[in-house]
Structures are given as structure tokens and as C-alpha cells.
């Protein structure tokens, strides 16, 4: 493998998903390998203190790199070589043949996440079985819930998010609500990705502004902001939860990030979009309630929760640094 051959593929590598669209991954080109690491400035220590979302995003990035390389005819594999202090995950290395995958670079480019509405209807059982099979490859599983079963949990999770100063500040740093913002086409959560009208975007920016937020927090605005999402799950739709095996390691969580990417690409090729609801398992109280709802003994096994369905309108393509 000639590491430099991968440089021109970076724009497609960067199509991997990440929480708040932070794109935390870093590529370091060595003589014979490409090191995958992460930038601590692009992590979410307040919302994701355990690093769960970071590890899932890095796993999704690995899977994306391998798919793109395979489509380009490059024989590349991934080797775990973690070093937390050095912010290193592992290496892309030469392989004896191309990575085996049913997906193409066009599938990577076509995948969408979005907050817009979905058509009513649950997942077809055959589709759910495909997602379950992918999870089982890493000794994990999925659980399915009607959207309406999670309305109260989402409200409580959003209220916690908006009421916790460190998490609200972190969210504000990654919001891109003004198309004139020079970062609007690079990263973060845009008004379009959040399906906000111009008025809603302006109001959200003002309510979370450093000057207004401390007072508005005391006046109960977090509850008002959380209430804006109450209609999001009030329809006949479905949420899918990725559940790890008991005692899963950090390395296994990275591998489950790869599984999650394969699941989302599977859904995308069938005309579905995804809308992560990570805040439900970021907040300990709602995470524990979700675990009880699913009869899961250890809440730490809950790795990802995503609303899935056919979009009423095509979601926008999210911004990327590359």
C-alpha cells in the first residue's frame, strides 16, 4: 500500500458520521501505513464524558475508509493499535486483497442523517433482521421501539441537555445557525440539518447566547426548548437501539461503530434516513429508564439510539471539512 494514494480519497473518508458533526478523526501518514487518531478539540467531553460517541464515530470512520479504498481498488485493512495518551486508534495497513463489502463510495456519499419528519410506518421485519444480523457479527443486538414510547424520555433528555451549562455551552459551540458563518460549510449542526426555520434558528441562537443563557436557564427556558421536540416522535415510527454484549471493551465499541455504519448504509440503500437521539443515553437518568424499558440489566450496554424511516423531504447533505 502506498499511503499517499489515500490522500485523494479523504473527501469521501470524511463522509462518516459523528456526534454534533465534529469530525474528530485525524489521519497521520507514515512510510507504510496511515495512522488513524483523533483531535481532542473535536470531542464532546461534556455531552460524551465516557467517550462512547467518539469511539462509535471513529469506528464509523474506519469502516468508511475501508469501503472507499475498496471501491478505489486499493487493498487496505485496519489494525487496532490504540494509544489513548497519543490519541491514536490504529492504522490503515496493506492487505492481501480489497476489503469485502457490499457498499460503494456512492453509497457513502448518498447516506443522510436528518431531523426532518419521516413517513408513518415501522421498519419491515426483513430489514430489521438484516440490522440484527450485522449486530450479531460483533456479539451485539438491536432493540426496536415505537417512536411514541420515547416521547417523555426525549423531553427529559433534551431538558437535561439544555439545563446543564457545560453541555449547553458545548452544543452552542457546534451550532452553525447562520449561513454567513465561515464554519457553516465545514462542520457542526446547521439550521438545515436541524430542520429549523430562519426564525427558529435565530431564537435558538439567542436563547443559548452567553449573555442570555444564565438568566433564561433560571427562568425555565430549558423546558421550553425541550418541549419543541415533543412532536418529533409523535407518529407511527420506529427507533432502533444498538445494544452491546455485557462487558464490552472500548475496542469492541470501535468495532460496533463499524457495525453501526454498515447498518446505516443498509438503511440508506433502502431509502431510509437516520436521526440519532444520543442525548437519551448521554443523560444517566434517561439512559437508566431506557434500560429498564428494554429490560437491559446494565445501562452501559446501550450504545446508540436512532430514529429511522423514510424521509418526507430529502435531508440536506451535512457539511464536511474535506
Amino acid at each position: 500500500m502506498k499511503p499517499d494514494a489515500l490522500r485523494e480519497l479523504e473527501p469521501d473518508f470524511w463522509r462518516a458520521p459523528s456526534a454534533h458533526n465534529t469530525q474528530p478523526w485525524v489521519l497521520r501518514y507514515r512510510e507504510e501505513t496511515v495512522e488513524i487518531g483523533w483531535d481532542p478539540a473535536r470531542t464532546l467531553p461534556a455531552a460524551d464524558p465516557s467517550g462512547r460517541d467518539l469511539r462509535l464515530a471513529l469506528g464509523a470512520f474506519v469502516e468508511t475508509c475501508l469501503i472507499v479504498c475498496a471501491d478505489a481498488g486499493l487493498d487496505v485493512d485496519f489494525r487496532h493499535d490504540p494509544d489513548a495518551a497519543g490519541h491514536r486508534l490504529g492504522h490503515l495497513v496493506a492487505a492481501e486483497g480489497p476489503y469485502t463489502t457490499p457498499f460503494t463510495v456512492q453509497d457513502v456519499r448518498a447516506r443522510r442523517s436528518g431531523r426532518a419528519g419521516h413517513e408513518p410506518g415501522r421498519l419491515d421485519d426483513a430489514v430489521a433482521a438484516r440490522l440484527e444480523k450485522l449486530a450479531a457479527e460483533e456479539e451485539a443486538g438491536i432493540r426496536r421501539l415505537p417512536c411514541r414510547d420515547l416521547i417523555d424520555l426525549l423531553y427529559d433528555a433534551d431538558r437535561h441537555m439544555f439545563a446543564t451549562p457545560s453541555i449547553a455551552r458545548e452544543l452552542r459551540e457546534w451550532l452553525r445557525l447562520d449561513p454567513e458563518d465561515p464554519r457553516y460549510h465545514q462542520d457542526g449542526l446547521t439550521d438545515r440539518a436541524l430542520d429549523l426555520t430562519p426564525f427558529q434558528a435565530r431564537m435558538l441562537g439567542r436563547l443559548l447566547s452567553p449573555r442570555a443563557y444564565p438568566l433564561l436557564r433560571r427562568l425555565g427556558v430549558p423546558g421550553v426548548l425541550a418541549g419543541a421536540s415533543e412532536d418529533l416522535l409523535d407518529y407511527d415510527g420506529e427507533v432502533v437501539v444498538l445494544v452491546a454484549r455485557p462487558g464490552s471493551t472500548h475496542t469492541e465499541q470501535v468495532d460496533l461503530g463499524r457495525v453501526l455504519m454498515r447498518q446505516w448504509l443498509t438503511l440508506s440503500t433502502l431509502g431510509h434516513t437516520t436521526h440519532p437521539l444520543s442525548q437519551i443515553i448521554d443523560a444517566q437518568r434517561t439512559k437508566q429508564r431506557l434500560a429498564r424499558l428494554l429490560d437491559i440489566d446494565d445501562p452501559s450496554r446501550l450504545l446508540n439510539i436512532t430514529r429511522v424511516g423514510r424521509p418526507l423531504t430529502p435531508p440536506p447533505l451535512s457539511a464536511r471539512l474535506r
Side-chain angles (χ1 to χ4, degrees):
M1 181 185 77
K2 296 182 179 180
D4 281 347
L6 275 62
R7 290 185 187 274
E8 64 185 53
L9 304 179
E10 284 192 7
D12 289 317
F13 293 167
W14 254 250
R15 292 310 312 168
S18 56
H20 287 9
N21 191 23
T22 63
Q23 304 163 58
W25 32 77
V26 174
L27 293 181
R28 305 180 182 104
Y29 288 82
R30 308 307 187 195
E31 186 173 341
E32 296 183 353
T33 68
V34 179
E35 180 182 308
I36 297 180
W38 68 91
D39 181 352
R42 289 186 167 273
T43 62
L44 302 169
D48 181 35
S50 71
R52 182 199 73 251
D53 277 335
L54 172 63
R55 289 186 287 275
L56 292 177
L58 290 170
F61 182 74
V62 168
E63 188 71 15
T64 302
C65 289
L66 295 179
I67 292 169
V68 173
C69 286
D71 191 87
L74 300 178
D75 299 340
V76 177
D77 201 354
F78 173 71
R79 182 181 68 214
H80 283 285
D81 184 20
D83 176 11
H87 306 121
R88 184 182 70 218
L89 182 71
H91 295 84
L92 295 173
V93 299
E96 294 183 357
Y99 178 60
T100 302
T101 176
F103 304 114
T104 68
V105 68
Q106 292 301 327
D107 296 327
V108 168
R109 293 170 181 170
R111 183 200 61 82
R112 298 285 192 279
S113 291
R115 196 175 184 275
H118 289 164
E119 296 177 2
R122 305 289 299 279
L123 271 184
D124 184 274
D125 287 342
V127 175
R130 291 176 64 178
L131 303 184
E132 180 69 50
K133 183 178 179 180
L134 289 168
E137 293 173 359
E138 295 294 337
E139 300 183 49
I142 65 166
R143 300 293 178 87
R144 303 161 60 193
L145 288 168
C147 285
R148 289 192 175 99
D149 286 5
L150 296 173
I151 291 176
D152 290 343
L153 278 181
L154 180 60
Y155 173 81
D156 286 349
D158 277 350
R159 185 173 59 182
H160 170 80
M161 176 176 66
F162 289 121
T164 305
S166 59
I167 298 176
R169 180 170 58 252
E170 199 170 68
L171 172 63
R172 184 177 65 241
E173 291 171 355
W174 290 100
L175 287 176
R176 309 288 185 255
L177 302 178
D178 181 358
E180 299 302 317
D181 186 330
R183 303 167 299 174
Y184 190 85
H185 298 288
Q186 295 181 351
D187 57 18
L189 299 169
T190 66
D191 53 340
R192 297 174 64 227
L194 295 172
D195 195 35
L196 298 176
T197 66
F199 174 76
Q200 291 170 329
R202 287 194 301 272
M203 288 304 298
L204 179 59
R206 291 170 182 171
L207 293 174
L208 292 180
S209 67
R211 294 183 63 182
Y213 174 77
L215 173 60
L216 295 176
R217 174 176 174 267
R218 293 193 295 270
L219 295 177
V221 165
V224 176
L225 291 173
S229 296
E230 285 186 309
D231 292 339
L232 191 65
L233 298 177
D234 191 12
Y235 74 105
D236 178 27
E238 182 144 291
V239 170
V240 175
V241 184
L242 179 63
V243 183
R245 73 171 184 84
S248 65
T249 65
H250 287 180
T251 295
E252 288 172 319
Q253 290 181 8
V254 172
D255 289 336
L256 285 172
R258 296 180 60 181
V259 167
L260 192 63
M261 188 65 190
R262 294 197 288 271
Q263 289 180 331
W264 287 9
L265 286 171
T266 297
L267 289 166
S268 177
T269 59
L270 297 173
H272 293 75
T273 56
T274 53
H275 171 207
L277 302 171
S278 299
Q279 62 268 47
I280 292 178
I281 51 178
D282 287 337
Q284 286 301 313
R285 178 182 173 186
T286 51
K287 182 178 184 177
Q288 291 169 0
R289 288 170 57 192
L290 177 61
R292 290 195 296 269
L293 183 63
L294 297 174
D295 196 25
I296 299 292
D297 55 346
D298 180 5
S300 69
R301 294 175 59 197
L302 305 178
L303 292 190
N304 181 265
I305 177 169
T306 301
R307 183 174 65 103
V308 301
R310 298 185 183 278
L312 293 171
T313 57
L317 187 66
S318 51
R320 287 298 186 273
L321 288 166
R322 294 290 188 272

